[in-house]
mmCIF file of all heavy atoms in Angstrom:
data_model
loop_
_atom_site.group_PDB
_atom_site.id
_atom_site.type_symbol
_atom_site.label_atom_id
_atom_site.label_comp_id
_atom_site.label_asym_id
_atom_site.label_seq_id
_atom_site.Cartn_x
_atom_site.Cartn_y
_atom_site.Cartn_z
ATOM 1 N N ARG A 1 0.823 -1.213 0.000
ATOM 2 C CA ARG A 1 0.000 0.000 0.000
ATOM 3 C C ARG A 1 0.855 1.259 0.000
ATOM 4 O O ARG A 1 0.430 2.307 -0.492
ATOM 5 C CB ARG A 1 -0.968 -0.019 1.177
ATOM 6 C CG ARG A 1 -2.075 -1.065 0.915
ATOM 7 C CD ARG A 1 -3.148 -1.124 1.967
ATOM 8 N NE ARG A 1 -2.620 -1.637 3.220
ATOM 9 C CZ ARG A 1 -2.587 -0.951 4.368
ATOM 10 N NH1 ARG A 1 -3.062 0.258 4.431
ATOM 11 N NH2 ARG A 1 -2.088 -1.496 5.458
ATOM 12 N N LEU A 2 2.088 1.176 0.524
ATOM 13 C CA LEU A 2 3.000 2.319 0.496
ATOM 14 C C LEU A 2 3.677 2.482 -0.866
ATOM 15 O O LEU A 2 4.003 3.602 -1.270
ATOM 16 C CB LEU A 2 4.072 2.167 1.583
ATOM 17 C CG LEU A 2 3.606 2.307 3.026
ATOM 18 C CD1 LEU A 2 4.718 1.895 3.985
ATOM 19 C CD2 LEU A 2 3.151 3.729 3.310
ATOM 20 N N ALA A 3 3.896 1.376 -1.577
ATOM 21 C CA ALA A 3 4.682 1.389 -2.814
ATOM 22 C C ALA A 3 4.223 2.411 -3.853
ATOM 23 O O ALA A 3 5.064 3.091 -4.453
ATOM 24 C CB ALA A 3 4.723 -0.011 -3.423
ATOM 25 N N PRO A 4 2.917 2.570 -4.108
ATOM 26 C CA PRO A 4 2.523 3.568 -5.111
ATOM 27 C C PRO A 4 2.891 5.001 -4.719
ATOM 28 O O PRO A 4 2.849 5.900 -5.554
ATOM 29 C CB PRO A 4 0.997 3.406 -5.187
ATOM 30 C CG PRO A 4 0.717 2.049 -4.663
ATOM 31 C CD PRO A 4 1.782 1.791 -3.640
ATOM 32 N N HIS A 5 3.265 5.196 -3.466
ATOM 33 C CA HIS A 5 3.597 6.534 -2.980
ATOM 34 C C HIS A 5 5.102 6.734 -2.822
ATOM 35 O O HIS A 5 5.542 7.710 -2.218
ATOM 36 C CB HIS A 5 2.869 6.793 -1.659
ATOM 37 C CG HIS A 5 1.398 6.543 -1.776
ATOM 38 N ND1 HIS A 5 0.562 7.405 -2.452
ATOM 39 C CD2 HIS A 5 0.637 5.509 -1.372
ATOM 40 C CE1 HIS A 5 -0.668 6.910 -2.434
ATOM 41 N NE2 HIS A 5 -0.652 5.760 -1.791
ATOM 42 N N SER A 6 5.879 5.798 -3.377
ATOM 43 C CA SER A 6 7.331 5.926 -3.358
ATOM 44 C C SER A 6 7.734 7.135 -4.191
ATOM 45 O O SER A 6 7.156 7.391 -5.251
ATOM 46 C CB SER A 6 7.960 4.651 -3.927
ATOM 47 O OG SER A 6 9.343 4.652 -3.722
ATOM 48 N N ALA A 7 8.723 7.880 -3.724
ATOM 49 C CA ALA A 7 9.170 9.065 -4.454
ATOM 50 C C ALA A 7 9.834 8.691 -5.782
ATOM 51 O O ALA A 7 9.816 9.477 -6.722
ATOM 52 C CB ALA A 7 10.126 9.883 -3.596
ATOM 53 N N ALA A 8 10.410 7.481 -5.847
ATOM 54 C CA ALA A 8 11.075 7.038 -7.074
ATOM 55 C C ALA A 8 11.173 5.517 -7.078
ATOM 56 O O ALA A 8 11.118 4.884 -6.024
ATOM 57 C CB ALA A 8 12.475 7.641 -7.164
ATOM 58 N N ASP A 9 11.321 4.953 -8.267
ATOM 59 C CA ASP A 9 11.598 3.528 -8.380
ATOM 60 C C ASP A 9 13.032 3.262 -7.941
ATOM 61 O O ASP A 9 13.905 4.123 -8.076
ATOM 62 C CB ASP A 9 11.423 3.061 -9.826
ATOM 63 C CG ASP A 9 9.967 2.833 -10.201
ATOM 64 O OD1 ASP A 9 9.079 3.000 -9.340
ATOM 65 O OD2 ASP A 9 9.722 2.484 -11.363
ATOM 66 N N GLY A 10 13.255 2.049 -7.435
ATOM 67 C CA GLY A 10 14.607 1.645 -7.060
ATOM 68 C C GLY A 10 14.616 0.916 -5.733
ATOM 69 O O GLY A 10 13.560 0.648 -5.136
ATOM 70 N N PRO A 11 15.814 0.583 -5.256
ATOM 71 C CA PRO A 11 15.944 -0.148 -3.999
ATOM 72 C C PRO A 11 15.405 0.660 -2.821
ATOM 73 O O PRO A 11 15.593 1.879 -2.747
ATOM 74 C CB PRO A 11 17.446 -0.358 -3.844
ATOM 75 C CG PRO A 11 18.034 -0.098 -5.185
ATOM 76 C CD PRO A 11 17.111 0.841 -5.885
ATOM 77 N N ILE A 12 14.730 -0.049 -1.915
ATOM 78 C CA ILE A 12 14.214 0.592 -0.696
ATOM 79 C C ILE A 12 14.709 -0.106 0.563
ATOM 80 O O ILE A 12 14.468 0.368 1.672
ATOM 81 C CB ILE A 12 12.672 0.635 -0.677
ATOM 82 C CG1 ILE A 12 12.093 -0.783 -0.737
ATOM 83 C CG2 ILE A 12 12.153 1.521 -1.796
ATOM 84 C CD1 ILE A 12 10.612 -0.855 -0.379
ATOM 85 N N GLY A 13 15.396 -1.243 0.416
ATOM 86 C CA GLY A 13 15.893 -1.948 1.583
ATOM 87 C C GLY A 13 16.175 -3.400 1.294
ATOM 88 O O GLY A 13 16.439 -3.786 0.148
ATOM 89 N N SER A 14 16.082 -4.221 2.354
ATOM 90 C CA SER A 14 16.346 -5.654 2.209
ATOM 91 C C SER A 14 15.625 -6.418 3.305
ATOM 92 O O SER A 14 15.201 -5.853 4.309
ATOM 93 C CB SER A 14 17.850 -5.931 2.291
ATOM 94 O OG SER A 14 18.341 -5.588 3.583
ATOM 95 N N ILE A 15 15.519 -7.735 3.070
ATOM 96 C CA ILE A 15 14.964 -8.638 4.068
ATOM 97 C C ILE A 15 15.757 -9.937 3.994
ATOM 98 O O ILE A 15 16.135 -10.383 2.914
ATOM 99 C CB ILE A 15 13.448 -8.862 3.871
ATOM 100 C CG1 ILE A 15 12.859 -9.561 5.098
ATOM 101 C CG2 ILE A 15 13.150 -9.579 2.567
ATOM 102 C CD1 ILE A 15 11.347 -9.445 5.211
ATOM 103 N N ARG A 16 16.047 -10.510 5.181
ATOM 104 C CA ARG A 16 16.794 -11.767 5.209
ATOM 105 C C ARG A 16 16.364 -12.599 6.407
ATOM 106 O O ARG A 16 15.989 -12.060 7.445
ATOM 107 C CB ARG A 16 18.301 -11.521 5.265
ATOM 108 C CG ARG A 16 18.788 -10.997 6.608
ATOM 109 C CD ARG A 16 20.313 -10.898 6.678
ATOM 110 N NE ARG A 16 20.716 -10.342 7.955
ATOM 111 C CZ ARG A 16 20.994 -11.059 9.046
ATOM 112 N NH1 ARG A 16 20.928 -12.370 9.030
ATOM 113 N NH2 ARG A 16 21.343 -10.460 10.172
ATOM 114 N N PHE A 17 16.425 -13.925 6.232
ATOM 115 C CA PHE A 17 16.208 -14.837 7.336
ATOM 116 C C PHE A 17 17.382 -14.667 8.288
ATOM 117 O O PHE A 17 18.530 -14.531 7.855
ATOM 118 C CB PHE A 17 16.111 -16.279 6.818
ATOM 119 C CG PHE A 17 15.761 -17.270 7.883
ATOM 120 C CD1 PHE A 17 14.532 -17.231 8.520
ATOM 121 C CD2 PHE A 17 16.668 -18.248 8.258
ATOM 122 C CE1 PHE A 17 14.203 -18.146 9.511
ATOM 123 C CE2 PHE A 17 16.353 -19.170 9.237
ATOM 124 C CZ PHE A 17 15.115 -19.117 9.870
ATOM 125 N N TYR A 18 17.129 -14.645 9.582
ATOM 126 C CA TYR A 18 18.152 -14.270 10.548
ATOM 127 C C TYR A 18 19.406 -15.152 10.512
ATOM 128 O O TYR A 18 20.491 -14.691 10.862
ATOM 129 C CB TYR A 18 17.577 -14.221 11.970
ATOM 130 C CG TYR A 18 17.529 -15.556 12.682
ATOM 131 C CD1 TYR A 18 18.496 -15.899 13.618
ATOM 132 C CD2 TYR A 18 16.518 -16.480 12.432
ATOM 133 C CE1 TYR A 18 18.455 -17.116 14.280
ATOM 134 C CE2 TYR A 18 16.464 -17.682 13.091
ATOM 135 C CZ TYR A 18 17.433 -18.002 14.014
ATOM 136 O OH TYR A 18 17.385 -19.198 14.665
ATOM 137 N N GLU A 19 19.305 -16.392 10.063
ATOM 138 C CA GLU A 19 20.470 -17.280 10.028
ATOM 139 C C GLU A 19 21.343 -17.074 8.798
ATOM 140 O O GLU A 19 22.451 -17.590 8.741
ATOM 141 C CB GLU A 19 20.025 -18.742 10.084
ATOM 142 C CG GLU A 19 19.451 -19.146 11.422
ATOM 143 C CD GLU A 19 19.045 -20.615 11.473
ATOM 144 O OE1 GLU A 19 18.765 -21.204 10.395
ATOM 145 O OE2 GLU A 19 18.991 -21.160 12.582
ATOM 146 N N TYR A 20 20.860 -16.343 7.797
ATOM 147 C CA TYR A 20 21.604 -16.150 6.556
ATOM 148 C C TYR A 20 22.435 -14.875 6.635
ATOM 149 O O TYR A 20 22.035 -13.889 7.261
ATOM 150 C CB TYR A 20 20.667 -16.063 5.355
ATOM 151 C CG TYR A 20 19.813 -17.296 5.134
ATOM 152 C CD1 TYR A 20 18.688 -17.233 4.341
ATOM 153 C CD2 TYR A 20 20.122 -18.518 5.695
ATOM 154 C CE1 TYR A 20 17.894 -18.353 4.108
ATOM 155 C CE2 TYR A 20 19.340 -19.643 5.479
ATOM 156 C CZ TYR A 20 18.223 -19.547 4.689
ATOM 157 O OH TYR A 20 17.445 -20.646 4.466
ATOM 158 N N GLU A 21 23.574 -14.892 5.948
ATOM 159 C CA GLU A 21 24.429 -13.709 5.931
ATOM 160 C C GLU A 21 23.888 -12.620 5.013
ATOM 161 O O GLU A 21 24.143 -11.442 5.231
ATOM 162 C CB GLU A 21 25.846 -14.082 5.501
ATOM 163 C CG GLU A 21 26.593 -14.849 6.577
ATOM 164 C CD GLU A 21 28.033 -15.101 6.198
ATOM 165 O OE1 GLU A 21 28.592 -14.341 5.373
ATOM 166 O OE2 GLU A 21 28.609 -16.060 6.728
ATOM 167 N N SER A 22 23.186 -13.033 3.966
ATOM 168 C CA SER A 22 22.630 -12.040 3.048
ATOM 169 C C SER A 22 21.168 -12.383 2.784
ATOM 170 O O SER A 22 20.709 -13.476 3.083
ATOM 171 C CB SER A 22 23.420 -11.994 1.738
ATOM 172 O OG SER A 22 23.330 -13.230 1.074
ATOM 173 N N GLY A 23 20.481 -11.421 2.223
ATOM 174 C CA GLY A 23 19.060 -11.608 1.975
ATOM 175 C C GLY A 23 18.678 -11.126 0.601
ATOM 176 O O GLY A 23 19.485 -11.140 -0.329
ATOM 177 N N ASP A 24 17.453 -10.661 0.489
ATOM 178 C CA ASP A 24 16.914 -10.202 -0.775
ATOM 179 C C ASP A 24 16.724 -8.689 -0.756
ATOM 180 O O ASP A 24 16.257 -8.125 0.242
ATOM 181 C CB ASP A 24 15.560 -10.868 -1.041
ATOM 182 C CG ASP A 24 15.693 -12.374 -1.205
ATOM 183 O OD1 ASP A 24 16.591 -12.798 -1.961
ATOM 184 O OD2 ASP A 24 14.932 -13.117 -0.573
ATOM 185 N N VAL A 25 17.065 -8.077 -1.865
ATOM 186 C CA VAL A 25 16.861 -6.638 -2.016
ATOM 187 C C VAL A 25 15.370 -6.377 -2.204
ATOM 188 O O VAL A 25 14.699 -7.088 -2.955
ATOM 189 C CB VAL A 25 17.657 -6.093 -3.219
ATOM 190 C CG1 VAL A 25 17.298 -4.639 -3.505
ATOM 191 C CG2 VAL A 25 19.147 -6.248 -2.969
ATOM 192 N N LEU A 26 14.873 -5.391 -1.517
ATOM 193 C CA LEU A 26 13.504 -4.919 -1.723
ATOM 194 C C LEU A 26 13.590 -3.679 -2.600
ATOM 195 O O LEU A 26 14.410 -2.791 -2.345
ATOM 196 C CB LEU A 26 12.842 -4.572 -0.393
ATOM 197 C CG LEU A 26 12.690 -5.716 0.604
ATOM 198 C CD1 LEU A 26 12.095 -5.189 1.912
ATOM 199 C CD2 LEU A 26 11.836 -6.827 0.034
ATOM 200 N N GLU A 27 12.769 -3.642 -3.623
ATOM 201 C CA GLU A 27 12.772 -2.475 -4.497
ATOM 202 C C GLU A 27 11.361 -2.177 -4.966
ATOM 203 O O GLU A 27 10.493 -3.049 -4.955
ATOM 204 C CB GLU A 27 13.695 -2.669 -5.686
ATOM 205 C CG GLU A 27 13.294 -3.787 -6.614
ATOM 206 C CD GLU A 27 14.238 -3.930 -7.806
ATOM 207 O OE1 GLU A 27 15.123 -3.083 -8.000
ATOM 208 O OE2 GLU A 27 14.070 -4.884 -8.559
ATOM 209 N N VAL A 28 11.159 -0.933 -5.344
ATOM 210 C CA VAL A 28 9.879 -0.517 -5.920
ATOM 211 C C VAL A 28 10.087 -0.341 -7.411
ATOM 212 O O VAL A 28 11.023 0.333 -7.846
ATOM 213 C CB VAL A 28 9.375 0.801 -5.279
ATOM 214 C CG1 VAL A 28 8.158 1.320 -6.012
ATOM 215 C CG2 VAL A 28 9.069 0.596 -3.812
ATOM 216 N N ARG A 29 9.202 -0.984 -8.180
ATOM 217 C CA ARG A 29 9.192 -0.845 -9.637
ATOM 218 C C ARG A 29 7.745 -0.666 -10.060
ATOM 219 O O ARG A 29 6.907 -1.532 -9.799
ATOM 220 C CB ARG A 29 9.765 -2.083 -10.334
ATOM 221 C CG ARG A 29 11.231 -2.297 -10.093
ATOM 222 C CD ARG A 29 12.068 -1.365 -10.968
ATOM 223 N NE ARG A 29 13.460 -1.512 -10.589
ATOM 224 C CZ ARG A 29 14.290 -0.498 -10.434
ATOM 225 N NH1 ARG A 29 13.870 0.731 -10.630
ATOM 226 N NH2 ARG A 29 15.524 -0.699 -10.087
ATOM 227 N N GLY A 30 7.440 0.460 -10.666
ATOM 228 C CA GLY A 30 6.087 0.705 -11.162
ATOM 229 C C GLY A 30 5.035 0.665 -10.068
ATOM 230 O O GLY A 30 3.934 0.185 -10.294
ATOM 231 N N GLY A 31 5.375 1.146 -8.881
ATOM 232 C CA GLY A 31 4.414 1.185 -7.788
ATOM 233 C C GLY A 31 4.193 -0.142 -7.082
ATOM 234 O O GLY A 31 3.234 -0.294 -6.329
ATOM 235 N N VAL A 32 5.095 -1.112 -7.303
ATOM 236 C CA VAL A 32 4.982 -2.438 -6.693
ATOM 237 C C VAL A 32 6.295 -2.782 -5.988
ATOM 238 O O VAL A 32 7.374 -2.569 -6.541
ATOM 239 C CB VAL A 32 4.677 -3.510 -7.771
ATOM 240 C CG1 VAL A 32 4.653 -4.906 -7.188
ATOM 241 C CG2 VAL A 32 3.368 -3.191 -8.478
ATOM 242 N N VAL A 33 6.194 -3.354 -4.777
ATOM 243 C CA VAL A 33 7.388 -3.810 -4.063
ATOM 244 C C VAL A 33 7.770 -5.181 -4.592
ATOM 245 O O VAL A 33 6.938 -6.088 -4.674
ATOM 246 C CB VAL A 33 7.158 -3.881 -2.543
ATOM 247 C CG1 VAL A 33 8.357 -4.505 -1.842
ATOM 248 C CG2 VAL A 33 6.879 -2.500 -1.972
ATOM 249 N N ARG A 34 9.036 -5.335 -4.929
ATOM 250 C CA ARG A 34 9.574 -6.618 -5.390
ATOM 251 C C ARG A 34 10.622 -7.073 -4.390
ATOM 252 O O ARG A 34 11.311 -6.267 -3.808
ATOM 253 C CB ARG A 34 10.183 -6.465 -6.766
ATOM 254 C CG ARG A 34 9.238 -5.815 -7.753
ATOM 255 C CD ARG A 34 9.404 -6.342 -9.147
ATOM 256 N NE ARG A 34 8.593 -5.625 -10.095
ATOM 257 C CZ ARG A 34 7.344 -5.941 -10.405
ATOM 258 N NH1 ARG A 34 6.775 -6.951 -9.826
ATOM 259 N NH2 ARG A 34 6.670 -5.244 -11.301
#
């Protein structure tokens, strides 16, 4: 619901399972979080 109100497309953060060293990039593209 926040994604359509993003100021710009692009990376907005990340999410990872606590046991993993790295996770997945969160980004907004066309008003959708990927």
Side-chain angles (χ1 to χ4, degrees):
R1 288 184 292 118
L2 290 170
H5 307 287
S6 190
D9 280 358
I12 60 166
S14 64
I15 192 162
R16 72 174 178 91
F17 185 65
Y18 84 100
E19 290 181 335
Y20 300 162
E21 288 185 24
S22 63
D24 296 313
V25 172
L26 298 176
E27 63 179 352
V28 172
R29 293 282 174 224
V32 176
V33 174
R34 308 214 186 271

